[in-house]
Amino acid sequence: MDSDQAAPSSTSSRPRVAVLGARGRLGSAICAALRESAEVDLVAELGSADDLGALLERQAEVVVDVTTPDAVMANLEFCVGHGLHAVVGTTGFDAERVATLETWLADAPGVGVLLAPNFSVGAVLMMRFAAQAARFYESVEIVELHHPGKADAPSGTARRTAELVAAARREAGCPPVPDATTSELPGARGADVDGIRVHGLRIRGMVAHQEVVLGAEGETLTIRHDSLDRSSFVPGVLAGVRAVPTRPGLTIGLEHVLDLD
Amino acid sequence: MDSDQAAPSSTSSRPRVAVLGARGRLGSAICAALRESAEVDLVAELGSADDLGALLERQAEVVVDVTTPDAVMANLEFCVGHGLHAVVGTTGFDAERVATLETWLADAPGVGVLLAPNFSVGAVLMMRFAAQAARFYESVEIVELHHPGKADAPSGTARRTAELVAAARREAGCPPVPDATTSELPGARGADVDGIRVHGLRIRGMVAHQEVVLGAEGETLTIRHDSLDRSSFVPGVLAGVRAVPTRPGLTIGLEHVLDLD
Amino acid sequence: MDSDQAAPSSTSSRPRVAVLGARGRLGSAICAALRESAEVDLVAELGSADDLGALLERQAEVVVDVTTPDAVMANLEFCVGHGLHAVVGTTGFDAERVATLETWLADAPGVGVLLAPNFSVGAVLMMRFAAQAARFYESVEIVELHHPGKADAPSGTARRTAELVAAARREAGCPPVPDATTSELPGARGADVDGIRVHGLRIRGMVAHQEVVLGAEGETLTIRHDSLDRSSFVPGVLAGVRAVPTRPGLTIGLEHVLDLD
Amino acid sequence: MDSDQAAPSSTSSRPRVAVLGARGRLGSAICAALRESAEVDLVAELGSADDLGALLERQAEVVVDVTTPDAVMANLEFCVGHGLHAVVGTTGFDAERVATLETWLADAPGVGVLLAPNFSVGAVLMMRFAAQAARFYESVEIVELHHPGKADAPSGTARRTAELVAAARREAGCPPVPDATTSELPGARGADVDGIRVHGLRIRGMVAHQEVVLGAEGETLTIRHDSLDRSSFVPGVLAGVRAVPTRPGLTIGLEHVLDLD
């Protein structure tokens, strides 16, 4: 079976979607939601032991990869090589991996890959709004709150938000945030990510929450995202699945498929 | 003195600014801030009894009007007629007033007027972010909190936010927000503004605060603005003063001069 | 089997507990938790079709009733009559029912019944703290946020909180809360419960949340409770089960068994 | 003039109050408020250069000390020695100073001294509620937010709250708070105060704010205090002034004069 056969048919109203990593917690939640969705046709749910050939047998058009950093590159080489679009939620893409992926895509015109390290539309909006607002405020700090079983602090989303805020401020020529602290109990002022302070709370009963606090003379702006359930990732996955066949080449970040402005 | 003489000089590095309504609470706060600002040259602070001729004598280039709905139209006729740009914080502009203003501006090419019903950059950002996010969420409601001396409920900003949110949802084809309430103590579900519920709290110790709460399956996004002091209006006034000489004709809304996106 | 045999044995280290209403959503969550608990011995899980005689056969000592207003009185008559202590989460106890219950208890010295309309320790603490703080603040309002499938507005907890706050203020001789509203879009100021304003939001993605906002000159105090899962009721049920054998007669309100102060 | 003459007259309806430290920011705010108050008679406003003899000349009954750690002990020796009650907002009382003060009070039966390191009723309530709730929750953390001109982090109130929470948990036999963090960017998890994590934000536009976040399986409780203005200290000072003549000896903490429970 060659890639022509697997290419999306323009007459198909619902994309034929496969999920890789379908046995994981995120993957099984996505499968459950795609099965219910009237927008897509879920044709394959593959775990790590399954053969990728099933993607071709079942004529998948778009592949959602929520596997692991170890598995994702081989999966993408297969998909791109066989003309399958991919929506990738797996993290761990450094510059080298991105370059490799772009080489593969150069040989597969018409194939689209979306790297979406965060499928949550709300988290993406929070990061975007924070970056847009950052240059209007003297002060910005980030507070993230998660369940106490989380191993890393701060969260990846908090770290990423701080980087985006810092970049937006550098671009706008903002001075450093003001801070007159001279006497600090170690850790009281949080972690420093590119000059932006980030604070991580670990609280039983919490799931995944983040607050970006911005302040200027006489006013503050707070953007808060509360994620309570994996079901919140489904709209982001669906937006990616809808968009990726129409975006050949590599797209990094869910924000580009949300039609913001 | 004709309008040529009063027109902004392109060689001037700092705009010559006058304030109308300089004796009011907002006006005097703005004057105090402009006096301190290195960006502008405050040349006139006029109250309701002062003669507008002073604007010409002191060669004002940009006029900030924070007077009253009764006074503002005569002020603007004078400014536009004499080639002075205007930044207007006074409220009460209906379609008729806007049409009149546009007639005057048609006869004064090069003159810019900015109507900014809200000088708070934070409030403008909150409204914009709420409208952008609105179509991604099934539910949206607004809570505003003010001091107990406030006469109207909900606040003008809350009402305006609801209208913008409702318009964004209509444009995106969103269904009505879900609400299964069958038994309601009168008022418990707030006021209905274009299908969006708005709740107003009146609390001693509060100044002016607003929260837009958006929710979808498994996640919520909250955008909160806290305004504690009139000093927060200064950056918005300055942004208007900087921008208006370069925007001939009528501009409605501070958001257009904040270089968002 | 007479009541002597079913009476709690003082040598038993873990109370023998039965659940009535075990097939309901709350009941099955409670059963699941009690099965895991090292503190109690779950000896019976009865649904509406099951015979109450099983309580005696399995030598239950404490009965948790989470049935319905229709069923609860017959259940309690049986329990009290057979010397079984009861912890009751079922709502709908008016003065008449309370009087009947007290008559039964008068004939069963040593038997304890706890009526706990809210098993959430957090909700009970929020109500208590709000009532304690109420007399120190000029203003108090309540905001509750629930999923959009809820039929009543405001929530029972919000209404109860408002009543407790209003009672505490009356007792302390506080004047009415200040409110200068003269122009109100209907509903903007919320529902009036004993002079306290209550606002209900219905937001997809929310579960059950409440905020009590208190304000005085120059400061505000906010007490917020977020309930995300039925598992949060378990500590309250356990506190009731532990306490009720030592509290003969009728106890109304979980707060009395939490050893506050 | 001996102390008998300065002792409070039981026929006086309004206590005669003097303020030491009346030229400082807090002191002048307190004087302004006491001058307006119908409850007290403000008879002296002394700065650091003024002679304490004025307290006797003007027949002060209660002295409010908001001076400095350097000055306060001499002031208190004078007050206690002359039979004047004292309400002390000055901080820096270690065990040695407390012991000295108790020695003086032992020789002055009937004289009361209240040490109130925090005059804010709201802050006192927040600390008390946090300590009461602490044993019901697996997790507790504290977030404080202040203006960026503050020199120390965390704030004294946050540190004190953490100590009270930790003490309450020790007394109740609570295990340590859960935290699975294995990979931490330095500072991300905040400062450790007696095992309780404390996070300090420094944000332009903020004044003094604190949030205590408590969490258990399926629910969280948040207690937040926002202090916007020094005027918020006045009710606490008044409560102290009213209470101290009736509480001979030493009282530490405003909470004891607020008639909680």
Side-chain angles (χ1 to χ4, degrees):
Chain A
M1 184 180 281
D2 64 28
S3 63
D4 287 348
Q5 288 173 275
S9 150
S10 61
T11 60
S12 163
S13 53
R14 307 202 312 170
R16 297 175 63 81
V17 177
V19 173
L20 302 183
R23 309 280 182 271
R25 281 194 301 179
L26 177 54
S28 58
I30 287 173
C31 287
L34 295 184
R35 255 178 258 129
E36 301 294 311
S37 169
E39 278 190 68
V40 302
D41 200 359
L42 181 63
V43 298
E45 309 181 17
L46 306 188
S48 56
D50 294 323
D51 191 87
L52 294 178
L55 298 175
L56 307 182
E57 285 160 29
R58 299 188 201 158
Q59 302 189 317
E61 293 162 338
V62 179
V63 173
V64 175
D65 186 305
V66 284
T67 61
T68 63
D70 284 350
V72 66
M73 290 303 283
N75 291 344
L76 287 175
E77 188 169 18
F78 181 93
C79 290
V80 176
H82 290 83
L84 309 185
H85 308 294
V87 172
V88 185
T90 311
T91 54
F93 278 81
D94 54 16
E96 196 185 338
R97 288 188 159 203
V98 166
T100 302
L101 192 48
E102 284 184 324
T103 307
W104 296 339
L105 284 164
D107 293 338
V111 174
V113 171
L114 169 67
L115 298 184
N118 198 325
F119 277 134
S120 161
V121 172
V124 167
L125 291 175
M126 173 180 61
M127 284 187 270
R128 182 185 167 87
F129 295 159
Q132 285 189 329
R135 67 190 161 92
F136 298 107
Y137 289 88
E138 259 189 274
S139 302
V140 191
E141 301 201 15
I142 296 168
V143 181
E144 51 92 345
L145 311 94
H146 284 81
H147 57 90
K150 185 172 180 59
D152 54 320
S155 69
T157 299
R159 198 185 276 249
R160 180 79 186 127
T161 308
E163 291 166 354
L164 292 169
V165 161
R169 291 171 67 90
R170 268 195 309 273
E171 200 182 320
C174 298
V177 295
D179 184 356
T181 309
T182 52
S183 162
E184 181 190 1
L185 197 62
R189 290 285 292 114
D192 183 322
V193 175
D194 287 7
I196 302 299
R197 295 288 172 162
V198 183
H199 312 262
L201 280 71
R202 297 295 170 264
I203 302 281
R204 180 74 69 209
M206 295 266 178
V207 185
H209 315 258
Q210 183 174 313
E211 213 166 270
V212 183
V213 184
L214 305 109
E217 197 63 56
E219 63 148 322
T220 61
L221 182 71
T222 306
I223 303 166
R224 180 176 176 121
H225 183 242
D226 294 272
S227 181
L228 302 183
D229 194 288
R230 279 196 181 74
S231 62
S232 66
F233 294 137
V234 172
V237 173
L238 283 175
V241 166
R242 268 194 307 270
V244 76
T246 69
R247 297 181 67 96
L250 184 61
T251 301
I252 302 179
L254 191 66
E255 58 272 30
H256 301 293
V257 306
L258 294 181
D259 293 324
L260 295 165
D261 330 301
Chain B
M1 185 180 280
D2 65 28
S3 62
D4 287 347
Q5 289 173 275
S9 152
S10 61
T11 60
S12 164
S13 54
R14 306 203 312 170
R16 297 175 64 81
V17 177
V19 174
L20 302 182
R23 310 281 181 270
R25 282 194 299 179
L26 176 55
S28 57
I30 288 173
C31 286
L34 295 184
R35 255 178 259 130
E36 300 294 310
S37 170
E39 277 191 67
V40 302
D41 199 0
L42 181 63
V43 298
E45 309 181 17
L46 307 187
S48 57
D50 295 321
D51 190 86
L52 293 179
L55 298 175
L56 307 181
E57 284 160 28
R58 299 186 202 161
Q59 301 190 316
E61 292 162 339
V62 179
V63 173
V64 175
D65 185 304
V66 284
T67 60
T68 61
D70 284 350
V72 66
M73 289 304 282
N75 291 345
L76 287 176
E77 187 168 20
F78 180 92
C79 290
V80 176
H82 290 83
L84 309 185
H85 308 296
V87 173
V88 185
T90 312
T91 54
F93 279 81
D94 55 15
E96 196 185 337
R97 287 187 160 206
V98 167
T100 302
L101 192 48
E102 285 184 324
T103 308
W104 296 338
L105 283 165
D107 293 338
V111 173
V113 170
L114 168 67
L115 298 184
N118 198 326
F119 276 135
S120 161
V121 172
V124 167
L125 291 176
M126 172 180 60
M127 284 188 269
R128 182 185 168 84
F129 295 160
Q132 285 189 329
R135 68 190 160 93
F136 297 106
Y137 289 88
E138 259 189 272
S139 301
V140 191
E141 301 201 16
I142 295 167
V143 181
E144 52 92 345
L145 310 95
H146 285 81
H147 57 90
K150 186 171 179 59
D152 54 319
S155 70
T157 298
R159 197 185 275 250
R160 180 79 186 126
T161 308
E163 290 166 355
L164 291 169
V165 161
R169 290 171 67 90
R170 269 196 308 272
E171 200 182 320
C174 299
V177 295
D179 184 355
T181 310
T182 52
S183 163
E184 181 190 1
L185 198 62
R189 289 285 293 114
D192 183 322
V193 175
D194 287 8
I196 303 299
R197 295 288 171 160
V198 182
H199 312 263
L201 280 72
R202 296 296 169 262
I203 302 281
R204 181 74 70 210
M206 295 267 178
V207 186
H209 315 257
Q210 183 175 313
E211 213 165 270
V212 183
V213 184
L214 304 109
E217 197 61 57
E219 62 148 320
T220 61
L221 181 71
T222 307
I223 302 166
R224 180 174 176 122
H225 183 242
D226 294 272
S227 181
L228 302 182
D229 195 287
R230 279 196 181 74
S231 62
S232 66
F233 294 137
V234 173
V237 173
L238 283 174
V241 166
R242 267 194 307 270
V244 76
T246 69
R247 297 181 66 98
L250 185 61
T251 302
I252 301 180
L254 190 67
E255 58 273 30
H256 300 294
V257 306
L258 295 181
D259 293 325
L260 296 165
D261 338 298
Chain C
M1 185 181 279
D2 66 26
S3 64
D4 286 347
Q5 289 173 275
S9 152
S10 61
T11 61
S12 163
S13 53
R14 307 201 311 170
R16 298 175 61 82
V17 177
V19 174
L20 302 182
R23 309 282 182 270
R25 282 194 300 180
L26 177 55
S28 57
I30 288 172
C31 287
L34 294 184
R35 256 179 257 129
E36 301 293 311
S37 170
E39 278 191 66
V40 303
D41 200 359
L42 181 63
V43 299
E45 309 179 20
L46 306 187
S48 55
D50 295 323
D51 190 88
L52 292 179
L55 298 175
L56 307 181
E57 285 159 27
R58 301 190 199 158
Q59 301 190 317
E61 292 163 340
V62 180
V63 173
V64 176
D65 186 304
V66 285
T67 59
T68 63
D70 284 351
V72 67
M73 289 304 282
N75 292 343
L76 288 175
E77 188 169 19
F78 181 94
C79 290
V80 175
H82 289 83
L84 309 185
H85 308 295
V87 173
V88 185
T90 311
T91 54
F93 278 81
D94 55 15
E96 196 185 337
R97 287 188 160 204
V98 167
T100 303
L101 192 48
E102 285 184 323
T103 309
W104 295 337
L105 284 163
D107 293 339
V111 173
V113 170
L114 168 66
L115 298 184
N118 197 326
F119 276 134
S120 162
V121 172
V124 167
L125 291 175
M126 172 180 60
M127 284 187 272
R128 182 184 166 86
F129 295 160
Q132 284 188 328
R135 69 189 160 92
F136 297 106
Y137 289 88
E138 259 188 273
S139 301
V140 191
E141 302 202 15
I142 296 167
V143 181
E144 51 93 341
L145 310 94
H146 284 81
H147 58 88
K150 186 172 179 60
D152 54 319
S155 69
T157 299
R159 196 185 277 249
R160 180 80 186 126
T161 309
E163 290 166 355
L164 292 169
V165 161
R169 291 171 67 90
R170 268 195 309 271
E171 200 182 319
C174 299
V177 295
D179 184 355
T181 309
T182 53
S183 163
E184 182 190 0
L185 197 61
R189 290 285 293 114
D192 183 322
V193 176
D194 287 7
I196 303 298
R197 295 288 172 160
V198 183
H199 312 263
L201 280 71
R202 297 296 170 260
I203 302 281
R204 181 74 71 209
M206 296 266 178
V207 185
H209 315 257
Q210 183 175 313
E211 213 166 271
V212 183
V213 184
L214 305 109
E217 198 62 57
E219 63 147 321
T220 61
L221 182 70
T222 307
I223 303 165
R224 179 173 177 123
H225 183 242
D226 294 272
S227 180
L228 301 182
D229 195 287
R230 278 197 181 74
S231 61
S232 66
F233 294 136
V234 172
V237 173
L238 284 174
V241 165
R242 269 194 306 270
V244 77
T246 68
R247 296 181 69 95
L250 184 61
T251 302
I252 302 181
L254 190 66
E255 59 272 29
H256 301 293
V257 306
L258 295 181
D259 292 324
L260 295 165
D261 338 299
Chain D
M1 186 181 279
D2 65 28
S3 64
D4 286 348
Q5 290 173 273
S9 150
S10 61
T11 60
S12 162
S13 53
R14 306 201 312 168
R16 297 175 62 81
V17 178
V19 173
L20 302 182
R23 310 281 181 270
R25 283 194 300 180
L26 177 55
S28 58
I30 288 172
C31 287
L34 295 184
R35 256 178 258 128
E36 301 293 310
S37 169
E39 278 191 68
V40 302
D41 199 359
L42 181 63
V43 297
E45 308 181 19
L46 306 188
S48 55
D50 295 323
D51 191 87
L52 293 178
L55 298 175
L56 308 181
E57 285 160 29
R58 301 192 199 155
Q59 302 190 317
E61 292 163 339
V62 180
V63 174
V64 176
D65 186 305
V66 285
T67 60
T68 63
D70 284 350
V72 67
M73 289 303 283
N75 292 343
L76 287 175
E77 188 169 19
F78 181 95
C79 289
V80 175
H82 289 84
L84 308 186
H85 308 296
V87 173
V88 186
T90 311
T91 55
F93 278 81
D94 54 15
E96 196 186 338
R97 287 188 161 204
V98 167
T100 303
L101 192 48
E102 285 184 324
T103 309
W104 296 337
L105 284 163
D107 293 339
V111 173
V113 171
L114 168 66
L115 298 184
N118 198 326
F119 277 135
S120 161
V121 172
V124 167
L125 292 175
M126 172 181 59
M127 284 187 272
R128 182 185 167 86
F129 294 160
Q132 285 188 329
R135 70 189 159 92
F136 297 106
Y137 289 88
E138 259 189 272
S139 301
V140 191
E141 301 202 15
I142 297 168
V143 181
E144 51 93 341
L145 311 94
H146 284 82
H147 58 89
K150 185 170 180 61
D152 55 319
S155 69
T157 299
R159 197 185 276 249
R160 181 80 186 125
T161 309
E163 290 165 355
L164 292 169
V165 161
R169 290 170 68 90
R170 268 195 308 272
E171 201 182 318
C174 299
V177 294
D179 183 356
T181 309
T182 53
S183 163
E184 182 189 0
L185 196 62
R189 290 285 292 115
D192 183 321
V193 176
D194 287 7
I196 303 298
R197 296 287 172 160
V198 182
H199 311 263
L201 280 71
R202 297 295 169 262
I203 302 281
R204 180 75 70 210
M206 297 266 177
V207 186
H209 315 257
Q210 183 174 313
E211 212 166 272
V212 183
V213 184
L214 306 109
E217 198 62 57
E219 63 146 321
T220 62
L221 182 70
T222 307
I223 303 166
R224 178 172 178 125
H225 183 242
D226 294 272
S227 180
L228 302 181
D229 195 288
R230 279 196 180 73
S231 61
S232 66
F233 295 136
V234 172
V237 174
L238 284 174
V241 166
R242 269 194 305 270
V244 76
T246 68
R247 295 181 69 95
L250 184 61
T251 302
I252 302 180
L254 191 66
E255 58 273 29
H256 300 292
V257 306
L258 294 181
D259 293 323
L260 295 165
D261 333 298

